[in-house]
Each structure stands twice: as structure tokens, then as C-alpha cells.
Amino acid sequence: MNLTLNHVSHRYSDMQVLDDISLHIPAGEILCVIGPSGCGKSTLLRLIGGLEQPTSGEILQIGEPPEGCLNPLTFVFQDFALLPWRTVRANVSLVLEDHRLGRAENNRIIDDVLARTRLSDFGDALPRQLSGGMKQRVAIARALAVKPAVMLLDEPLSALDAQTRELLMEDLVDLWERQKFTGVYVTHNLAEAVRLGHRIAVLSRRPGRVRELIDIDIPLKDRHMTHPELEVLQTRLWDLMREEATAADRELQHV
Amino acid sequence: MSDDARNVPYRGGGFSPVAKRGAGFVVFLVLLALAEWGTRSGWINNLTLPRPSDVGATLVELWQSGLMWTHIAPSLTRLVVGSVMGISAGISVGVMIGLFSYVRAGLIPLVAAIFPIPKIALLPLFVIWFGIDEGSKYALIALGTFTPTIVATYGAVDNVDRTLVRMGQSFGLSWSSIVRKIILPGALPGILSGLRVSVAIGIILLVAAEMLGAEYGIGAYILQAGSLYDLERLFAGVLILSVLGVVTSWAIGQLEKRLLNWRN
């Protein structure tokens, strides 16, 4: 299933947040969206996921979601959004219960996604007992459980420390290598963008416009922390963003 | 390195209450002992404060004569029936206010208008509406627990983390699943702490209602003792009430422990 955005603009009352965004998201690839804080990256993701409606323009799903897909557009949130009163298993089960698959099938799916995120031993733990990285793995397991056609990742690693972030990035690459999911990955971290993106969309500061689209041809599994080409690319991205970030930083908040 | 080395002064600590077992009990005992000693030595006049041991003797007597249960049973029934009615109605209305904008806009002013009315003032009216016997007492306690429960409940629903609701929507959960599995469990801590206030108000109203017309009941017992200036019996009745308060608050505490064990 491909996604296409045609001239999407969005405004909150009198504030223009996104301006004329057109993007194509092909199946099986990860698109990273980067931009200075407040440029409307997360808004863009909520628009794509149908949690908000664009003021103008259209967002199209092209083609049918794959067989067995329970929730085509599935989010992974920055703050994990786990129910604190449910165990790890029950948190994953939450998103399956409405589909009436039967208990055996539910358990099979839960076992499978917990194994894929290496959480099998923590099924009965409560979220408060888990570290930030583990919580985000639970959220990823929950997202995998509904067999999404597109994963919408909203700064999924931003609430984690640098070491955990590195580990989870490797996990994400592994997951993608095993099953080539389509992803839209919003981040303000350039290192994450060059590690995980097949294509990077650089947004300007508010109102967000696509400043540049960059394709990276290096396969995900060959990208490492100190890959020379990636470092060059990261520097280039920073040069693109520096001015915007400085200007965005100096803007007064509209509250 | 200077040679007059000393420890960095410690400035942290405090401002974090720690449970100290038995401290409350000691305060209680000291006060009782003081009253006992004061009344025995004549330092406190027997007309101003009964001797604690006499109050104890009255309680024992009350127990042995079987009258204790005769007074407690109707009181407990009234409290349970009235507050179950008030609290369950209050939770349902509170959840509705939390969920529907029209209900909120329509009912919040009404609740704000009813909340500060001293419900005891309405008792004569309730007697006409619901009859002189149990009906009016149930209604008084129900109305008294109803409004604080509503306020606590919709506050609790409002405070449920909206990112969890968005998460539910993003996974395509049905409206009723979101309410049952996200909103209600998320509001439970706030609802339960509101329950403490509601039940305490229920006990106050119970006694007020019984003072205005009941043959048996702790309130009636206290009123009788008061009009005869029988301080021992008056204090015995008050003691039963505060035990009732402690017991209900403990029961709610247990409920919180069981239902909210996911919190720290």
C-alpha cells in the first residue's frame, strides 16, 4: 500500500502549520521527516494517520492493505502510550480484542510479536517496572500485532537515552530487514534520520514546507554509527537545517 | 587545598512524609490518659468532660445489653443504602459529564447550584416527598453523597491522559472499548479518592437525619443522651461514629490497594 500527499496544508485557527506538502511514500520504504522543533512534523504524521483532518489538500491510500492487516495506519508514540494498569501482554491484547479473533489466535499473535521484540520473558510485567527502552519495545510489539501496512513513528526514540536509542535503532533495522514495512519516521535527530531513512524529507520552520528530499541508497543493514558517507550526509542535513533551527529557536511562542 | 577542611553541610531532607507506625495510637493514648487523670484528680470538672473509663463502661454496658446492635444496624443500613444510591448515580452522571459536551454544559451549573446547599435544610421537604420513615433518610444521604461524587468523577475523567485516548483511536478501538478500557480505569484513582469525601459526608448526614426523627440509630442515641445531659452516653455514641469513619476509610484504602496495584 502506497501513500500520497497532494498539496496538504494545515492551520490551527489563524496559525499556518503546514504549507503545500506533497510527498509520495512507496511501500516497503521508510521516509524520515526532519525539521526544526515546531515545524509541524508531528502534525503531518497525525494527518497521515487520520487523527486530524487537513485544512486543504488530500492524503490518499493507493492499493489495498496486505492480507490479514488489522489496522493499516499504526502509530508508535514518543511517550509510548501504554496503559499503566495493563501488563505487557494485556497492552498488546488491547488492540486485538476488538477484532474478535478468538483467544487462541490472540495469544499466538501476542507470543509472536513479543518474541520478535525480545520481550517474551516480560509478558506479565507492568509498564512501571520497565525501562524506557523496554516500554518503547512494548509499544512497537503492539504496533506489529495489528500487522500494519504503514508504521507512523512519532519521535519514537526521543524520550530515551543515547545508548538505548542506539540499541533500539538496531532493533528497528532488524525488524525492517525481516519484514519490509512501510514507515514514516518523524524525528529531530539527524543521526536517526540517516540511519533509518530510505528517503529524508527536510521541512522548513513553520509553516512547514518540504525544503529538500534526499534519497539514500545505502542498504539499512550496512549503515553504521561511523559510516563515512552518512557522516557527510548528516553534515549536509545540518547545514540545511542550521539556519531554520536558529530562526525557529528565536521565535516567540504562540500560546 | 586549604587545611581547614570540613564536611559540606547537609541541607536536603524533610518535606517527604514517611509512615510512622503507631504514632497516631500514641497521640490517642496520651490524650485519653490526660483526660482520665484530669477528671480523677478534679482538675477537669465532670460536667465538662466525662471520665474515659466511664465512657468505656457505658460502651461495654451497651454491648452487653444488646442495644449496641439495635442502634448500629439501622444506621448502617441507612448509610449503605443511601450512599450506594448516591454514589452509583453520582459516578454515572459524572462519567456522562466527562464524556458528552452537552451533558457537561447542561449539568455543571446545576451541580454547582446543588452542591453548597446544606442538605439537612431540605430534610422537612424530603419528609413530605419520601415519607417520615426510611425513605427520607435514604434520600438525604443519597443526595449528600451524589454531588461530591459527580464532581470527583468528572474531574477524574477529565484528567485521563488524552494521549492514551488518541492511542486507542489510532488503533481503531471502538468508542465503547475506549470508554471501558481506557477512560474508566484511568479515572478510577480519582473516583476512589472522591469516595472518601462522599462517605464521610454520608456519615454526617446519617446522624443529622437520625437526630430529626428516628427511634433507633446512633444519631437518635446521641440526641437522647444529649437532651438528658448524659455525657458518658453522648461520648460513647460519638466514639462509635468515629470508629465507623475509620472503618469506612480503611475499607476504601483496601479497595484502592486491590484495584490500583498498578500504581507505585
Side-chain angles (χ1 to χ4, degrees):
Chain A
M1 192 178 91
N2 301 342
L3 284 175
T4 295
L5 284 72
N6 286 331
H7 308 291
V8 171
S9 297
H10 193 64
R11 57 199 302 99
Y12 292 122
S13 58
D14 59 347
M15 188 171 64
Q16 183 87 25
V17 187
L18 292 169
D19 185 24
D20 195 33
I21 305 260
S22 292
L23 281 173
H24 181 66
I25 303 155
E29 286 193 10
I30 298 176
L31 169 77
C32 283
V33 180
I34 59 170
S37 64
C39 73
K41 308 184 287 283
S42 296
T43 307
L44 181 67
L45 203 66
R46 285 201 296 275
L47 291 172
I48 297 175
L51 288 182
E52 282 183 53
Q53 283 183 306
T55 316
S56 65
E58 51 183 10
I59 298 165
L60 303 171
Q61 300 182 19
I62 299 160
E64 286 302 304
E67 183 86 9
C69 171
L70 300 175
N71 188 45
L73 303 168
T74 298
F75 277 89
V76 174
F77 298 93
Q78 178 180 356
D79 54 3
F80 325 128
L82 300 175
L83 301 185
W85 51 86
R86 282 185 173 233
T87 62
V88 168
R89 285 190 78 85
N91 260 293
V92 179
S93 160
L94 173 80
V95 300
L96 299 170
E97 286 160 11
D98 272 12
H99 295 285
R100 308 186 184 290
L101 303 169
R103 176 176 289 203
E105 177 66 4
N106 273 0
N107 280 333
R108 195 194 59 74
I109 295 177
I110 296 169
D111 288 336
D112 173 51
V113 294
L114 290 187
R116 275 158 73 191
T117 46
R118 288 180 280 126
L119 285 167
S120 300
D121 296 337
F122 302 93
D124 296 322
L126 284 167
R128 70 172 155 87
Q129 299 171 291
L130 303 177
S131 66
M134 296 274 273
K135 283 183 199 164
Q136 195 54 290
R137 283 219 212 102
V138 177
I140 292 168
R142 176 177 65 187
L144 293 173
V146 291
K147 301 195 180 63
V150 181
M151 290 257 260
L152 306 170
L153 303 115
D154 187 3
E155 308 215 15
L157 309 184
S158 297
L160 307 174
D161 60 79
Q163 292 86 2
T164 316
R165 201 178 296 171
E166 190 58 40
L167 289 174
L168 243 93
M169 246 191 290
E170 286 168 14
D171 284 353
L172 281 172
V173 171
D174 273 356
L175 283 171
W176 187 85
E177 288 293 342
R178 259 186 283 171
Q179 194 168 30
K180 309 261 187 292
F181 59 83
T182 313
V184 182
Y185 189 108
V186 163
T187 181
H188 58 250
N189 184 315
L190 303 180
E192 286 171 32
V194 297
R195 286 283 292 281
L196 293 169
H198 294 95
R199 171 180 282 189
I200 298 175
V202 185
L203 295 194
S204 66
R205 69 175 190 273
R206 193 173 56 224
R209 296 188 186 93
V210 180
R211 260 195 80 172
E212 193 145 335
L213 274 172
I214 297 165
D215 287 293
I216 309 177
D217 296 327
I218 311 163
L220 289 194
K221 61 174 187 300
D222 296 340
R223 302 184 190 179
H224 302 290
M225 226 195 298
T226 50
H227 198 291
E229 246 177 282
L230 293 182
E231 274 184 8
V232 173
L233 195 64
Q234 203 174 320
T235 317
R236 189 177 143 213
L237 286 174
W238 174 234
D239 288 340
L240 271 173
M241 273 183 64
R242 169 178 232 127
E243 215 179 299
E244 299 280 348
T246 316
D249 190 47
R250 296 176 62 88
E251 266 173 39
L252 288 174
Q253 293 292 318
H254 297 265
V255 183
Chain B
M1 255 312 241
S2 125
D3 29 347
D4 57 338
R6 46 207 161 94
N7 282 327
V8 172
Y10 173 60
R11 295 175 293 181
F15 300 104
S16 56
V18 200
K20 299 278 187 212
R21 278 183 86 91
F25 196 64
V26 168
V27 170
F28 197 65
L29 276 187
V30 166
L31 282 177
L32 271 185
L34 214 65
E36 183 76 30
W37 170 78
T39 44
R40 274 186 194 279
S41 67
W43 177 63
I44 300 172
N45 192 325
N46 268 340
L47 280 176
T48 51
L49 199 72
R51 198 175 285 171
S53 53
D54 289 347
V55 175
T58 313
L59 276 172
V60 171
E61 196 187 300
L62 200 62
W63 176 259
Q64 281 167 345
S65 66
L67 272 178
M68 167 112 62
W69 193 240
T70 323
H71 286 295
I72 287 182
S75 287
L76 272 184
T77 318
R78 286 166 194 146
L79 182 65
V80 170
V81 173
S83 46
V84 165
M85 289 197 305
I87 287 167
S88 48
I91 290 177
S92 347
V93 174
V95 170
M96 302 267 279
I97 290 179
L99 291 179
F100 304 108
S101 301
Y102 274 109
V103 181
R104 168 182 300 253
L107 289 189
I108 285 189
L110 188 66
V111 171
I114 298 176
F115 203 177
I117 299 175
K119 309 299 180 299
I120 306 161
L122 296 178
L123 191 63
L125 190 67
F126 279 14
V127 169
I128 294 170
W129 287 356
F130 304 105
I132 185 85
D133 38 71
E134 300 303 303
S136 55
K137 296 182 184 66
Y138 293 159
L140 186 76
I141 295 168
L143 185 67
T145 50
F146 180 57
T147 38
T149 311
I150 293 182
V151 174
T153 305
Y154 81 68
V157 172
D158 288 351
N159 274 332
V160 173
D161 190 351
R162 294 296 121 157
T163 59
L164 294 181
V165 175
R166 295 283 169 266
M167 180 277 293
Q169 291 175 323
S170 80
F171 278 95
L173 265 60
S174 67
W175 185 86
S176 76
S177 284
I178 290 176
V179 172
R180 279 184 300 120
K181 295 171 186 171
I182 298 177
I183 303 233
L184 290 182
L188 199 57
I191 295 177
L192 283 180
S193 65
L195 221 58
R196 285 176 190 277
V197 179
S198 304
V199 173
I201 292 177
I203 295 177
I204 294 172
L205 288 174
L206 162 78
V207 176
E210 287 178 342
M211 282 183 165
L212 285 169
E215 194 180 349
Y216 293 110
I218 304 165
Y221 180 79
I222 292 175
L223 185 73
Q224 256 175 36
S227 39
L228 297 172
Y229 208 73
D230 187 342
L231 284 189
E232 282 80 23
R233 287 173 62 196
L234 186 119
F235 268 76
V238 169
L239 204 64
I240 295 176
L241 281 181
S242 51
V243 169
L244 193 62
V246 170
V247 168
T248 49
S249 145
W250 173 84
I252 294 171
Q254 289 299 305
L255 205 63
E256 280 179 338
K257 246 189 209 164
R258 295 200 49 167
L259 293 177
L260 307 179
N261 62 353
W262 48 270
R263 295 197 305 188
N264 297 332

